[in-house]
Amino acid sequence: MHHTVRSSIARDCYAPRFRYNGSVEKPAYIALVHNGVLTLNHFEIQGAIRYIGIPRHELHDKAAIKLQDHGSEVSFRNIRIRAL
């Protein structure tokens, strides 16, 4: 039997800021609200991890977002993106 579970997630992301030489001046942060409950507030994102190793930010400009489902039956809808 297939059950549909609906969740509401709101997320605010703040991109990292870089110095002229490419080093991180200010790291990325995230705020996350799941079903009306604030679960992460001003949580520092330490950067991307390729496979294993230490996370690090890489100098970038605006880019696309990526959503992962890891092979499960996940669907996304009503995704809104706005510049902060």
Side-chain angles (χ1 to χ4, degrees), residues 12 22-24 29 39 41 45-46 48 50 60-61 63 80 82:
D12 287 334
S23 64
V24 177
Y29 290 95
T39 55
N41 187 22
I45 304 297
Q46 297 177 347
R50 291 291 167 220
H60 64 277
D61 198 6
R80 288 170 269 177
R82 62 186 170 103

Side-chain angles (χ1 to χ4, degrees), residues 3-74:
H3 296 282
T4 301
V5 177
R6 298 194 191 276
S7 292
S8 171
I9 297 175
R11 181 176 76 179
D12 287 334
C13 297
Y14 302 91
R17 291 188 185 155
F18 299 95
R19 294 183 183 92
Y20 69 92
N21 63 0
S23 64
V24 177
E25 179 178 340
K26 185 176 180 182
Y29 290 95
I30 187 171
L32 180 73
V33 178
H34 182 245
N35 291 335
V37 178
L38 181 64
T39 55
L40 297 172
N41 187 22
H42 200 69
F43 181 82
E44 182 180 337
I45 304 297
Q46 297 177 347
I49 299 174
R50 291 291 167 220
Y51 175 64
I52 57 174
I54 299 171
R56 63 182 57 149
H57 290 291
E58 296 176 3
L59 182 61
H60 64 277
D61 198 6
K62 291 181 181 178
I65 63 168
K66 297 177 183 179
L67 303 174
Q68 293 181 310
D69 65 3
H70 297 285
S72 63
E73 295 181 13
V74 174

